[in-house]
């Protein structure tokens, strides 16, 4: 019987491309798809796939939330992240939430397929660039500040630094506005962020978000 895979990405064309790549491999079949964290959770409960391949950048709650909820439902779930986000902090948060592997979308297709095979064997897998980012971060000590944050605080920092208002973050994560404001106050205190702009650049430096366009163009 073929290995069943749940594919989670909010772009239908992207999902189709990955489906074709995966199903060219003997013994692999994409049996369900999802475009959001909530839908991924529902599809996992409905289909019980052998493997979940998901992006972290989803509308509403991110893939980190999807990983966390799926693993709460099934502690043995095998989840492989496949994302454009290559920061060491993001990768660590994914593993902390329960991911078994992390491959960047910049990697050659063979790295994704190798990671699929490794995760199905019960191993932890990373693409070369993710492994390098984590190793480099360990050497430079760049992980220290943001690693002091809880997974929830990292999620709120990522969404806020990405341009979402506190109200939008509250709605996306199903939290009260007061809870979001309290978390943001705690985040600023832990990171020593003096201004909102400083908070954004800490998030950029940690690889949680891309630099704002108007500033990235000056680099």
């Amino acid at each position: 019987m073929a290995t069943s895979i749940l594919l989670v990405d909010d772009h239908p064309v992207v999902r189709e491309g990955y489906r074709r790549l995966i199903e060219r491999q003997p013994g692999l079949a994409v049996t369900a798809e999802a475009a959001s964290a909530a839908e991924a959770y529902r599809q996992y409960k409905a289909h019980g796939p052998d493997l979940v391949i998901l992006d972290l950048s989803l509308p509403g709650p991110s893939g980190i939330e999807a990983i966390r909820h799926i693993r709460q439902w099934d502690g043995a779930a095998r989840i492989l992240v496949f994302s454009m986000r290559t920061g060491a902090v993001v990768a660590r948060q994914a593993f902390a939430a329960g991911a078994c592997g992390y491959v960047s979308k910049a990697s050659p297709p063979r790295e994704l397929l190798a990671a699929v095979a490794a995760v199905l064997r019960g191993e932890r897998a990373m693409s070369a660039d993710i492994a390098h980012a984590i190793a480099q971060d360990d050497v430079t000590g760049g992980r220290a500040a943001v690693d002091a944050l809880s997974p929830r605080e990292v999620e709120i920092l990522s969404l806020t630094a990405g341009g979402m208002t506190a109200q939008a973050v509250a709605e996306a994560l199903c939290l009260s506005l007061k809870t979001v404001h309290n978390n943001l106050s705690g985040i600023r205190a832990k990171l020593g962020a003096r201004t909102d702009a400083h908070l954004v650049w800490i998030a950029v430096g940690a690889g949680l978000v891309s630099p704002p366009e108007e500033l990235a163009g000056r680099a």
Side-chain angles (χ1 to χ4, degrees):
M1 184 177 294
T3 296
S4 58
I5 294 174
L6 166 59
L7 190 57
V8 185
D9 194 291
D10 63 334
H11 295 95
V13 174
V14 173
R15 290 200 307 272
E16 178 62 25
Y18 296 147
R19 173 192 281 271
R20 292 181 181 180
L21 171 66
I22 291 165
E23 293 190 333
R24 284 203 297 266
Q25 311 309 306
L28 300 182
V30 176
T31 56
E33 298 183 15
S36 68
E39 188 180 359
Y41 181 60
R42 290 194 299 268
Q43 293 284 17
Y44 189 89
K45 291 175 66 177
H47 296 275
D50 299 308
L51 176 67
V52 180
I53 300 176
L54 87 164
D55 192 1
L56 294 182
S57 299
L58 300 171
S62 78
I64 297 290
E65 287 296 304
I67 295 168
R68 188 176 295 118
H69 289 157
I70 290 172
R71 286 301 298 266
Q72 286 173 347
W73 170 261
D74 178 5
R78 290 172 173 156
I79 304 173
L80 173 62
V81 173
F82 190 45
S83 176
M84 287 297 296
R85 300 174 69 178
T86 58
V89 172
V90 177
R92 285 197 185 90
Q93 289 294 328
F95 283 121
C100 304
Y102 198 118
V103 177
S104 80
K105 288 185 176 179
S107 303
R110 66 177 181 275
E111 289 207 53
L112 172 62
L113 298 175
V116 167
V119 171
L120 289 172
R121 290 194 301 268
E123 302 170 7
R124 175 175 284 200
M126 285 182 281
S127 56
D129 53 353
I130 297 299
H132 176 75
I134 291 176
Q136 185 177 47
D137 206 44
D138 286 341
V139 170
T140 62
R143 59 179 292 185
V146 176
D147 270 7
L149 303 181
S150 68
R152 171 64 75 192
E153 288 172 330
V154 170
E155 189 81 356
I156 291 173
L157 172 60
S158 299
L159 295 176
T160 301
M164 291 178 67
T165 64
Q167 182 63 52
V169 172
E171 293 172 358
L173 299 181
C174 300
L175 300 173
S176 70
L177 183 58
K178 180 179 180 180
T179 296
V180 173
H181 281 308
N182 287 343
N183 272 273
L184 284 171
S185 295
I187 291 167
R188 291 189 183 95
K190 288 181 180 181
L191 298 182
R194 299 178 298 278
T195 64
D196 287 344
H198 187 192
L199 200 64
V200 170
W201 278 112
I202 291 175
V204 170
L208 297 177
V209 295
S210 299
E213 291 182 5
E214 67 273 16
L215 295 178
R218 300 176 193 171

